[in-house]
Amino acid sequence: LSLGEAKNLPTYPGPNKMRDCYCTVNLDQEEVFRTKIVEKSLCPFYGEDFYCEIPRTFRHLSFYIFDRDVFRRDSIIGKVAIQKEDLQKYHNRDTWFQLQHVDADSEVQGKVHLELRLSEVITDTGVVCHKLATRVLECQGLPIVNGQCDPYATVTLAGPSRSEAKKTKVKKKTNNPQFDEVFYFEVTRPSSYNKKSHFDIEDVDEVDKMEIRVDLWNASNLKFGDEFLGELRLPLKFLRQSSSYEAWYFLQPRDNGNKSLKPDDLGSLRLNVVYTEDHVFSSDYYSPLRDLLLKSADVEPVSASAAHILGEVCREKQEAAIPLVRLFLHYGRIVPFISAIANAEVKRTQDPNTIFRGNSLTSKCIDETMKLAGMHYLQVTLKPIIDEICQVHKSCEIDPVKLKDGENLENNRENLRQYVDRVFTVITKSGVSCPTVMCDIFFSLRESAAKRFQGDLDVRYTAVSSFIFLRFFAPAILSPNLFQLTPHHPDPQTSRTLTLISKTIQTLGSLSKSKSASFKESYMATFYDYFNEQKYADAVKNFLDLISSSGRKDHKSIEQPILLKEGFMIKRAQGRKRFGMKNFKKRWFRLTNHEFTYQKSKGDHPLCSIPIENILAVERLEEESFKMKNMFQVIQPERRVLYIQANNCVEAKDWIDILTKVSQCNKKRLTVYHPSAYLNGHWLCCKATADNTPGCTPCTGGLPANIQLDIDGDRETERIYSLFNLYMPKLEKMQEACGSKSVYDGPEEEEYSTFIIDDPKETYKTLKLIIEGVGTLEQEHAQYKRDKFKKTKYGSQEHPIGDKSFQTYIRQQSEISAHSI
């Protein structure tokens, strides 16, 4: 997701009129991300990106704009809600969305399981009456309101002239309540039954106008009354076909007839959403396509390989680079593949000054590899100094036009010079920490460039610096939030300081002949005079030599722990004190490659430290244990367990993944665990009474510890198949271009000129194999969908009634089958 900016927000009613706004990203109503607060603006610019794996099903992706209030709860200005089935409409397009009004009646999520039975009863006098039995079995995924959910349901039989309501018991502290309560209603009565408060119903048409309504409520202690959670309305006439009906239903918002504000009264929000959903088969399905891709590095010429062809047909090279790099990293083939495509690109380059400067497949693949393999390297190298710059707020503006009142130009220059010096030093001294896979790629780039441009002695350096400085360190300094160095986009003053540092570091690393001339701004050229000494150029060359030499030893910087993840979570006391309370407390958790610790708040002394080698398993904890969502457990020796609650489902998955990854190589890792807690003298899952009983459920596989294996190869191959399938017309056009080139050796047609085809015969062969492989997988997907369609019942727990994506799917399938008939 890219959260761009909001505009034309309604003015604040006070004299100031400005607002302090932030934006949240929610799966249904569960918040998974929050931007920084932009103060005193009605058109706040966020410029923040957020990427996540979605660990559960959802109906809406929602964005809420909040106005911060220091004294009261923050108020909601408006929201954008995109239904899951509509996400493809906005895929990868900058779109302005009108903010919609928010009220409790529209904030609905979850589903309800009902059984309805309409039966005929014969009275003593021989008259037939109709009775309705409504069984409310359970609900799932109800929203949590103000941190709690104590739900109950009301069941109402309503008609044109009557309304009769009944209520379930309140279920405390759960958003998945099990009710299993039955309510009986008399639908029709004999005409002699004539009590004042009741009525006679004999007319069958009257029954058809009646409906059963189920409303879900959160029992609140507040004076405002109970909160509405969702409703369901079912007309009784549908029970005429079947006397008994059991199904799951999505809860719906209540229509109060309230006229909401006009959408343009609330302003709008600019978003770019990229959503992909792939169905991944087991490995054997992908063998032909995967093998074809993995031998790309050995194909001569490399432009005839499957991976290079993917780069040629995709609209954006980035689209192809992401799954290709992940796949090649997974199978340990990234270095030969990048060496092959880089070598081919160097051969096509005429001027050594433009080497690797375009947005080619090579440069995008190296960018992606550095992002994946170099994230820890960035954390160790840049995070401490970036954190300091963000916290201290020293003034570093050196443009005389932008100087604020009271600022001194010389002082600002000195502040900036000190920062640049320190950043430059930490980078050039970090050579031994550079990941091996990056060094191997840099060695290959250096060799290719030196061989191609033998007369240029500097090209061996510029080939490497164009990546490590221009495309790795400089962007990370400029936008630290995109490289996980800071949680949010920095404030304007800090952002300006980082821009000036990034520009200077980029120029220092580029080793260009006339440095001052490389700046458009005269004030930057003046500032750069500080760094015109030979020692800076020597330091850059020494650093580049170290990270691109083949005999470099992989020094593991064991003495310096790498911070992997940190943040507030809630933990349950582990019972280390004999008589201590086993209560829940909010703590600051910190994970490095050495230990997992928690403390009262950030920067405090750790209250507890768990060495990584003592983490024997990390698994989810079932909600029934403590009636709390998003919980997981860290299992330690002697069956000691730390129970933790993360803030949301995405964060829980991130913590489980990274803790599993760092502890994957522990020799004593468990193979089985208890998915529920040990409470009141027994395990809730298997009912075993001894607290040292071995687990009852196999541990999940988790993520392998090695970066080259921290990827699902089948999933990446499925993504590549999807891309080939999407760009099938271009593959066919490329086949035509190969035929045209083989037969006709004159000037090529314009529509074919965009493709790089060095060997038409070899390229045609590969294209034929790709199209065959994609066709086979397409048939498998179609068969899977047909089988699923036959087995899936509308109204099941997986596809409740009201599931629009499934309704769309049914419509598509019926159209396909009608077409085939």
Side-chain angles (χ1 to χ4, degrees):
L1 302 170
S2 289
L3 292 106
E5 59 191 306
K7 68 177 181 186
N8 304 331
L9 298 181
T11 56
Y12 187 70
N16 185 9
K17 297 198 172 179
M18 292 292 148
R19 293 180 181 269
D20 301 342
C21 295
Y22 60 91
C23 180
T24 67
V25 179
N26 296 51
L27 289 175
D28 297 319
Q29 280 178 267
E30 182 181 13
E31 184 184 318
V32 294
F33 178 71
R34 181 179 290 206
T35 67
K36 61 174 185 222
I37 296 169
V38 177
E39 296 183 339
K40 295 177 184 157
S41 175
L42 297 177
C43 297
F45 177 81
Y46 298 108
E48 298 202 31
D49 289 1
F50 172 62
Y51 168 84
C52 81
E53 296 283 321
I54 298 180
R56 63 170 179 82
T57 55
F58 69 101
R59 289 165 72 187
H60 292 91
L61 179 67
S62 303
F63 304 84
Y64 292 81
I65 299 275
F66 283 87
D67 183 15
R68 180 183 59 179
D69 194 316
V70 180
F71 303 108
R72 294 189 301 256
R73 186 185 295 160
D74 298 349
S75 55
I76 300 177
I77 295 173
K79 73 169 183 180
V80 171
I82 307 172
Q83 289 186 338
K84 182 185 171 185
E85 48 275 16
D86 290 338
L87 285 169
Q88 283 303 321
K89 286 185 200 169
Y90 309 108
H91 183 79
N92 207 8
R93 288 197 349 242
D94 257 17
T95 311
W96 282 99
F97 292 90
Q98 294 287 349
L99 288 173
Q100 303 296 325
H101 190 60
V102 176
D103 58 42
D105 291 344
S106 66
E107 298 293 281
V108 167
Q109 68 177 56
K111 51 193 175 186
V112 59
H113 188 189
L114 292 183
E115 187 181 347
L116 301 170
R117 190 180 296 274
L118 190 62
S119 49
E120 291 184 348
V121 180
I122 301 173
T123 63
D124 298 341
T125 56
V127 179
V128 176
C129 305
H130 287 89
K131 284 201 172 182
L132 173 70
T134 303
R135 185 179 174 202
V136 183
L137 288 115
E138 60 180 310
C139 292
Q140 281 192 351
L142 297 177
I144 293 170
V145 183
N146 302 329
Q148 60 111 35
C149 190
D150 298 338
Y152 68 89
T154 59
V155 183
T156 309
L157 179 67
S161 55
R162 71 179 281 193
S163 180
E164 187 181 348
K166 300 186 179 184
K167 176 183 163 186
T168 67
K169 291 176 184 149
V170 175
K171 298 290 178 182
K172 292 279 186 184
K173 293 185 179 176
T174 176
N175 67 338
N176 298 320
Q178 304 276 332
F179 294 113
D180 202 5
E181 293 188 41
V182 184
F183 302 100
Y184 296 96
F185 298 92
E186 288 189 1
V187 179
T188 61
R189 298 185 182 87
S191 55
S192 59
Y193 190 95
N194 208 349
K195 215 169 170 187
K196 238 183 182 180
S197 60
H198 292 85
F199 18 71
D200 309 331
I201 300 175
E202 287 179 318
D203 188 359
V204 171
D205 293 340
E206 195 75 11
V207 177
D208 284 351
K209 291 174 186 170
M210 297 178 77
E211 65 175 12
I212 193 86
R213 196 174 80 232
V214 180
D215 293 271
L216 267 296
W217 299 86
N218 178 37
S220 170
N221 300 323
L222 301 173
K223 60 182 177 186
F224 308 115
D226 297 346
E227 288 110 344
F228 173 77
L229 299 179
E231 74 166 16
L232 176 68
R233 290 168 177 255
L234 296 169
L236 282 195
K237 63 181 174 187
F238 87 93
L239 281 172
R240 292 210 163 277
Q241 286 82 34
S242 156
S243 61
S244 174
Y245 199 81
E246 182 197 340
W248 283 85
Y249 301 84
F250 271 137
L251 290 168
Q252 302 298 335
R254 179 169 59 181
D255 180 15
N256 277 348
N258 289 346
K259 296 287 174 249
S260 62
L261 296 174
K262 288 180 188 171
D264 53 355
D265 289 346
L266 297 174
S268 51
L269 180 64
R270 180 167 62 84
L271 301 168
N272 190 323
V273 180
V274 176
Y275 175 71
T276 55
E277 187 177 304
D278 293 320
H279 173 79
V280 185
F281 292 120
S282 55
S283 268
D284 47 323
Y285 283 82
Y286 297 107
S287 295
L289 184 59
R290 183 176 57 236
D291 296 345
L292 188 64
L293 288 158
L294 289 174
K295 67 179 189 189
S296 293
D298 308 318
V299 173
E300 281 290 334
V302 75
S303 62
S305 69
H308 194 279
I309 287 169
L310 180 67
E312 288 298 290
V313 297
C314 281
R315 195 172 56 131
E316 303 279 344
K317 297 280 189 255
Q318 182 86 353
E319 266 183 311
I322 293 172
L324 283 175
V325 163
R326 294 173 76 88
L327 182 73
F328 285 114
L329 265 174
H330 180 65
Y331 288 101
R333 300 284 295 151
I334 192 69
V335 177
F337 169 64
I338 286 183
S339 300
I341 58 173
N343 198 31
E345 186 174 326
V346 168
K347 282 179 181 170
R348 286 194 293 272
T349 305
Q350 301 304 316
D351 180 359
N353 293 319
T354 62
I355 197 163
F356 300 127
R357 289 297 167 91
N359 280 329
S360 61
L361 182 65
T362 309
S363 57
K364 289 294 179 191
C365 282
I366 297 175
D367 286 355
E368 200 53 37
T369 307
M370 291 193 300
K371 249 187 190 171
L372 282 173
M375 209 50 91
H376 290 170
Y377 177 37
L378 275 180
Q379 295 276 335
V380 175
T381 313
L382 289 181
K383 188 164 172 49
I385 181 76
I386 296 282
D387 283 347
E388 186 188 321
I389 292 167
C390 291
Q391 286 159 16
V392 176
H393 283 102
K394 274 188 189 173
S395 181
C396 296
E397 183 54 73
I398 57 169
D399 181 355
V401 179
K402 292 184 180 173
L403 271 189
K404 290 180 186 164
D405 290 344
E407 284 186 349
N408 182 293
L409 189 60
E410 281 310 310
N411 288 352
N412 288 6
R413 273 194 191 136
E414 182 54 25
N415 290 341
L416 185 61
R417 191 190 65 75
Q418 285 178 11
Y419 276 150
V420 171
D421 246 337
R422 286 172 61 194
V423 171
F424 180 79
T425 305
V426 294
I427 291 173
T428 52
K429 291 271 167 55
S430 69
V432 291
S433 307
C434 188
T436 312
V437 69
M438 285 168 64
C439 295
D440 292 344
I441 289 168
F442 295 149
F443 173 70
S444 165
L445 298 181
R446 176 188 175 124
E447 293 298 294
S448 293
K451 194 173 171 186
R452 171 80 173 87
F453 300 106
Q454 293 176 7
D456 190 324
L457 297 176
D458 276 341
V459 77
R460 68 187 63 224
Y461 295 116
T462 53
V464 178
S465 73
S466 65
F467 286 103
I468 194 74
F469 279 102
L470 271 65
R471 305 178 84 111
F472 186 61
F473 284 123
I477 296 164
L478 186 66
S479 304
N481 55 307
L482 300 186
F483 292 80
Q484 278 94 61
L485 294 173
T486 59
H488 297 299
H489 189 68
D491 62 76
Q493 184 184 324
T494 308
S495 193
R496 174 67 177 158
T497 301
L498 293 173
T499 303
L500 296 170
I501 296 170
S502 178
K503 277 184 173 186
T504 316
I505 292 293
Q506 189 172 320
T507 310
L508 277 167
S510 68
L511 293 167
S512 56
K513 305 290 185 294
S514 56
K515 303 260 175 78
S516 299
S518 62
F519 291 110
K520 295 192 288 284
E521 309 93 340
S522 58
Y523 62 86
M524 281 303 293
T526 310
F527 173 68
Y528 197 81
D529 288 340
Y530 288 124
F531 303 98
N532 261 331
E533 298 173 42
Q534 188 58 35
K535 68 174 184 180
Y536 290 102
D538 292 343
V540 170
K541 286 185 176 179
N542 291 339
F543 169 66
L544 296 173
D545 279 333
L546 179 59
I547 64 170
S548 62
S549 57
S550 61
R552 169 192 172 281
K553 291 186 179 64
D554 184 24
H555 297 279
K556 287 188 178 168
S557 50
I558 291 163
E559 68 287 344
Q560 185 175 12
I562 299 169
L563 177 65
L564 302 174
K565 190 168 175 64
E566 60 182 348
F568 274 115
M569 289 191 287
I570 292 168
K571 66 99 196 169
R572 182 178 186 253
Q574 297 179 77
R576 287 176 296 147
K577 293 176 185 168
R578 195 169 175 186
F579 301 107
M581 290 272 290
K582 287 198 173 182
N583 53 2
F584 287 88
K585 288 186 176 169
K586 191 175 183 180
R587 293 287 182 254
W588 180 264
F589 283 81
R590 203 166 182 274
L591 175 67
T592 71
N593 56 340
H594 291 186
E595 60 183 359
F596 182 46
T597 61
Y598 63 78
Q599 52 238 51
K600 270 197 172 175
S601 51
K602 190 175 182 179
D604 287 357
H605 187 73
L607 297 170
C608 174
S609 169
I610 304 169
I612 295 299
E613 56 271 20
N614 281 358
I615 297 177
L616 306 185
V618 183
E619 298 288 347
R620 291 188 182 280
L621 186 72
E622 289 187 357
E623 193 183 322
E624 61 164 359
S625 301
F626 301 109
K627 302 282 190 280
M628 293 164 74
K629 289 171 77 71
N630 305 318
M631 286 201 75
F632 63 95
Q633 49 185 321
V634 179
I635 306 168
Q636 303 157 65
E638 299 168 15
R639 300 281 164 189
R640 180 180 286 168
V641 185
L642 175 60
Y643 296 121
I644 303 172
Q645 184 188 33
N647 296 317
N648 56 60
C649 62
V650 171
E651 208 159 284
K653 182 182 185 297
D654 287 349
W655 275 106
I656 293 167
D657 285 353
I658 198 159
L659 280 162
T660 304
K661 182 182 168 187
V662 293
S663 61
Q664 194 77 37
C665 295
N666 290 351
K667 292 186 176 69
K668 294 181 182 174
R669 269 189 74 81
L670 297 178
T671 52
V672 288
Y673 78 105
H674 290 285
S676 293
Y678 183 79
L679 292 174
N680 306 325
H682 68 275
W683 292 100
L684 296 180
C685 40
C686 57
K687 306 297 182 261
T689 52
D691 64 351
N692 60 353
T693 307
C696 55
T697 305
C699 287
T700 47
L703 301 165
N706 188 330
I707 174 82
Q708 298 194 346
L709 300 173
D710 179 11
I711 287 155
D712 181 340
D714 300 330
R715 181 175 160 173
E716 301 309 328
T717 315
E718 170 63 30
R719 186 91 290 273
I720 291 167
Y721 149 76
S722 298
L723 288 168
F724 274 136
N725 202 21
L726 179 65
Y727 293 110
M728 185 56 75
K730 277 199 170 182
L731 287 171
E732 289 164 352
K733 189 72 75 185
M734 204 169 177
Q735 265 191 324
E736 288 174 24
C738 290
S740 167
K741 273 201 160 193
S742 304
V743 176
Y744 175 64
D745 205 22
E748 60 187 325
E749 290 181 41
E750 195 170 320
E751 61 176 333
Y752 302 147
S753 63
T754 53
F755 301 122
I756 294 173
I757 302 172
D758 296 321
D759 185 331
K761 219 172 194 178
E762 281 301 312
T763 308
Y764 189 86
K765 265 192 217 168
T766 309
L767 281 161
K768 195 168 176 229
L769 290 169
I770 292 169
I771 291 168
E772 280 172 14
V774 168
T776 307
L777 276 170
E778 196 175 4
Q779 285 171 5
E780 294 290 355
H781 276 291
Q783 186 59 48
Y784 167 80
K785 280 183 178 172
R786 280 196 294 273
D787 293 346
K788 188 180 174 190
F789 178 62
K790 282 176 195 165
K791 290 175 196 165
T792 305
K793 180 188 165 197
Y794 189 46
S796 64
Q797 193 171 350
E798 296 76 33
H799 295 290
I801 292 169
D803 181 351
K804 290 192 178 172
S805 57
F806 188 66
Q807 286 172 314
T808 308
Y809 177 66
I810 287 174
R811 196 166 58 249
Q812 287 169 348
Q813 290 303 311
S814 56
E815 282 168 8
I816 289 166
S817 54
H819 177 70
S820 59
I821 289 163

